[in-house]
Amino acid sequence: MQGVNGFMYPNEVQLQWSVLIVLYPFITGLVAGAFILASLVRIFHVEAVRPTYRLAMLTALAFLLVAPLPLQLHLGHPERSYEMYLTPHRTSAMAMFGFVYLWYLMAVLVAEIWLDYRRDIVIMSQSATDWKRWIYRVMTLGSSNISPRALEIDDRVGWLITLVGIPSAFLLHGYVGFIFGSIKANPWWSSPLMPVVFIFSAMVSGIAAVMLLYMLSARLRKEPIDMRCVDTIARYLFYIFIIDFSLEMLDLVHRIYEADESFRSLDFMVHTRLYFSQIILQIFAGTLAPVVLLGLAQVVKLPELARKRIYGIAGSLTLIGIFAMRWNVVIGGQLFSKSFLGYTTYKMGLITREGLLMAMLLSLLPLFFLWVLAKLLPPWYQEQDAITAAG
Amino acid sequence: MSNFRDTGHLFRFAGIFVAAILIFLAIRGWLVPHTFGQYGHYRGAALNEIAAKPVHFAGHQSCETCHADIAEKKSSGKHASVHCEACHGPLAAHADDPSIQPAKIDTAVLCAQCHETSAAKPKGFPEVETASHSNGVSCETCHQPHSPALEAGGAQ
């Protein structure tokens, strides 16, 4: 059969999980990572990265809104898929994810964004004109109390929510790793390290994404980039990247040393079908290159322009690398036979429900959401000062 | 009381939450069938609905009451363990009323379903590559469906 080498069981020839299932952990990872970056400001008081606080929160929200879409498209049947939440089963990881998701969306992200923006919302509900005024009016929930005491209470409650939010973000993304790590029939996935690796790679990708979005938005708005902020973000990115990389290497060393019955087959796969996406894209281009670049910026004193370029390149490579990692996990885990005697190929559709076009659309959708959110709730601090002046 | 001063907006926000949960519970109560969970994690009434469906298979004991000759022949051959309706398809209607004629079988399709060579089949199961084995000649020219082994005196 074309695309199949060696022996495959009949139900293994075609992949069940498509590129959309690659996108799904990638997107939730960006959410969790962006939120962790925001919590640096709130909980860990890293004041230097404050200019990205609101942007990070809005990014997390925009991506979180898109996160369930790839799953829904993969499953089909929107007319009955919600039933999973009406009568959830305790043993269904997917049903439980829905509640983790809703909790994270409503109790953490929306609540925190609302509290943080409340003062601006109240001021804008008085200063904005026509239909926008109505939107802000609804968002105030009918309370225009922005007395210093009320704002201080908001701040404290927001802190508490972030505190709850950090484990929630870990839960949200650790859970995605758990879905793979807990499949004991698949040696490529089955590993208790999986959730941990997923969380750290999520942080890496989310931080890189917010850093890129911040630099890009500053350029589009023709504003200077706050270098102290980007330097700090890059430094944290570097640290977390190193942890992430060592965890992944630990997993690798463990697999090589253990060399169980699946090892020869998986090893062969990494050297053939996954060579480009795993060795070249994920490890060299997507991990080692950005780590070296970011490390260089830490060690050598470089001029501003060079640092900007390095951060831009390293950030983009990071996103490519993390996407490749998700690809290698999801697609790689389905390319080999459980008999360890054969390999199949993934053939991606173009204009199908789970094809390439849909995947690209779903990757652009969060950026569109972010644009709408940023119009409604401007995350730029200069503008915020203007609002304060108006109020 | 003064402790709650300036927290009104928080209660409004929490109120939306509580309202959303209540609405969810209301919708749930309305949408989930009332026999759900009666016996287990499924709709209890489904059992009766399924039981009320018409039966399609008669079972091999039923066939054997009228076709004793074939049952006997089959029981001594290699297909002893294969039940009548595995090949003839569901025939409850025919068992109730023999004037309903069972459909003819296309052996080229039927036999290959079980005997086509495939590495996934257990060792020792008789397999052939139908294309080269019979060259398009229908299987029952040489094998008797009810007693297929040739050397066992099953040849026609």
Side-chain angles (χ1 to χ4, degrees):
Chain A
M1 208 183 291
Q2 220 192 346
V4 176
N5 295 104
F7 173 69
M8 289 303 272
Y9 290 116
N11 59 344
E12 294 172 333
V13 174
Q14 267 206 335
L15 271 64
Q16 306 296 324
W17 285 0
S18 63
V19 63
L20 292 194
I21 305 298
V22 177
L23 208 58
Y24 157 67
F26 183 65
I27 290 182
T28 46
L30 292 179
V31 176
F35 184 82
I36 301 288
L37 180 63
S39 69
L40 278 181
V41 181
R42 256 243 138 89
I43 303 285
F44 301 105
H45 301 294
V46 184
E47 281 304 318
V49 300
R50 181 165 281 282
T52 59
Y53 172 70
R54 288 187 160 183
L55 185 66
M57 295 298 289
L58 294 190
T59 307
L61 182 59
F63 278 89
L64 193 67
L65 288 175
V66 178
L69 283 185
L71 291 183
Q72 182 61 67
L73 275 162
H74 170 70
L75 292 174
H77 290 291
E79 82 284 358
R80 65 169 192 228
S81 57
Y82 66 88
E83 287 176 10
M84 170 161 96
Y85 302 117
L86 299 181
T87 53
H89 199 284
R90 261 177 298 118
T91 60
S92 157
M94 229 44 251
M96 289 306 131
F97 166 72
F99 293 105
V100 173
Y101 171 83
L102 278 177
W103 161 263
Y104 189 71
L105 175 70
M106 298 310 296
V108 175
L109 270 185
V110 171
E112 188 173 335
I113 292 178
W114 185 69
L115 286 175
D116 191 63
Y117 273 102
R118 214 173 61 78
R119 199 183 62 119
D120 299 9
I121 292 174
V122 170
I123 293 173
M124 287 188 288
S125 76
Q126 286 150 8
S127 63
T129 47
D130 49 327
W131 57 273
K132 267 193 158 177
R133 193 189 185 104
W134 286 102
I135 297 185
Y136 291 123
R137 279 240 175 114
V138 172
M139 284 202 284
T140 60
L141 301 182
S143 156
S144 53
N145 182 356
I146 47 172
S147 64
R149 183 159 185 272
L151 289 181
E152 202 211 300
I153 292 175
D154 283 356
D155 198 46
R156 259 185 288 155
V157 174
W159 179 84
L160 197 71
I161 290 178
T162 318
L163 201 62
V164 178
I166 295 176
S168 302
F170 272 59
L171 198 66
L172 180 80
H173 204 66
Y175 155 84
V176 178
F178 167 84
I179 280 202
F180 293 99
S182 61
I183 298 182
K184 62 179 164 206
N186 188 323
W188 185 248
W189 291 338
S190 175
S191 152
L193 263 182
M194 204 57 125
V196 187
V197 171
F198 261 65
I199 288 171
F200 276 92
S201 57
M203 288 199 247
V204 170
S205 66
I207 293 176
V210 175
M211 181 176 83
L212 287 179
L213 282 172
Y214 173 68
M215 300 205 315
L216 195 73
S217 65
R219 163 160 288 202
L220 288 179
R221 297 165 48 76
K222 302 199 175 54
E223 275 168 10
I225 296 178
D226 180 342
M227 276 322 274
R228 198 168 73 98
C229 167
V230 196
D231 283 337
T232 316
I233 297 182
R235 197 170 68 240
Y236 277 99
L237 182 59
F238 177 62
Y239 294 155
I240 297 178
F241 221 145
I242 288 185
I243 301 180
D244 178 46
F245 186 55
S246 0
L247 280 172
E248 269 176 48
M249 287 305 111
L250 194 63
D251 188 41
L252 194 69
V253 169
H254 186 246
R255 277 167 195 272
I256 294 174
Y257 187 76
E258 199 177 41
D260 66 4
E261 70 276 13
S262 68
F263 181 70
R264 276 172 44 141
S265 169
L266 300 185
D267 188 50
F268 178 77
M269 183 170 76
V270 171
H271 284 93
T272 51
R273 307 215 159 183
L274 286 186
Y275 188 76
F276 179 70
S277 59
Q278 177 114 8
I279 308 280
I280 309 263
L281 272 189
Q282 183 186 332
I283 297 187
F284 279 100
T287 307
L288 290 178
V291 165
V292 168
L293 282 176
L294 290 170
L296 197 72
Q298 299 302 316
V299 180
V300 188
K301 238 186 133 23
L302 292 168
E304 194 175 304
L305 188 67
R307 293 212 305 282
K308 273 188 206 158
R309 296 228 165 108
I310 283 189
Y311 297 155
I313 296 172
S316 313
L317 284 178
T318 305
L319 288 184
I320 295 174
I322 301 290
F323 185 82
M325 181 253 177
R326 311 292 191 230
W327 174 279
N328 294 326
V329 168
V330 176
I331 303 295
Q334 303 173 84
L335 290 183
F336 63 95
S337 167
K338 179 80 176 119
S339 65
F340 306 130
L341 294 174
Y343 306 88
T344 186
T345 329
Y346 173 50
K347 190 170 175 303
M348 180 160 38
L350 180 64
I351 316 183
T352 54
R353 199 181 70 204
E354 299 187 47
L356 181 64
L357 271 187
M358 190 52 87
M360 296 202 300
L361 195 75
L362 284 181
S363 329
L364 293 178
L365 196 59
L367 298 178
F368 170 71
F369 280 179
L370 182 61
W371 178 76
V372 174
L373 282 173
K375 282 266 171 265
L376 208 58
L377 302 170
W380 332 113
Y381 280 81
Q382 283 90 334
E383 235 165 72
Q384 197 208 337
D385 297 340
I387 293 169
T388 319
Chain B
M1 188 56 222
S2 69
N3 274 346
F4 290 111
R5 199 161 47 86
D6 290 328
T7 56
H9 59 283
L10 294 179
F11 284 104
R12 286 176 196 234
F13 194 81
I16 292 185
F17 253 78
V18 175
I21 293 174
L22 289 180
I23 291 174
F24 172 76
L25 289 178
I27 293 179
R28 185 177 183 276
W30 179 57
L31 281 177
V32 175
H34 67 274
T35 57
F36 185 88
Q38 198 177 358
Y39 309 112
H41 200 78
Y42 58 89
R43 192 164 55 88
L47 292 183
N48 290 333
E49 279 167 31
I50 293 166
K53 286 194 170 167
V55 176
H56 295 294
F57 285 90
H60 67 110
Q61 291 99 335
S62 153
C63 315
E64 285 160 10
T65 52
C66 296
H67 296 286
D69 50 334
I70 290 177
E72 197 183 324
K73 186 174 183 188
K74 189 170 79 76
S75 65
S76 60
K78 288 280 187 181
H79 275 164
S81 60
V82 185
H83 285 176
C84 316
E85 286 164 301
C87 292
H88 286 282
L91 281 182
H94 164 76
D96 284 344
D97 176 7
S99 66
I100 298 176
Q101 277 284 329
K104 284 280 173 214
I105 296 173
D106 181 1
T107 49
V109 176
L110 173 78
C111 311
Q113 263 167 20
C114 292
H115 289 291
E116 190 66 66
T117 307
S118 157
K121 281 179 188 159
K123 273 207 181 68
F125 187 85
E127 301 164 46
V128 289
E129 285 187 11
T130 48
S132 58
H133 177 75
S134 74
N135 223 344
V137 182
S138 80
C139 312
E140 78 247 51
T141 354
C142 301
H143 300 281
Q144 277 192 40
H146 299 134
S147 179
L150 297 176
E151 65 274 26
Q156 279 176 331

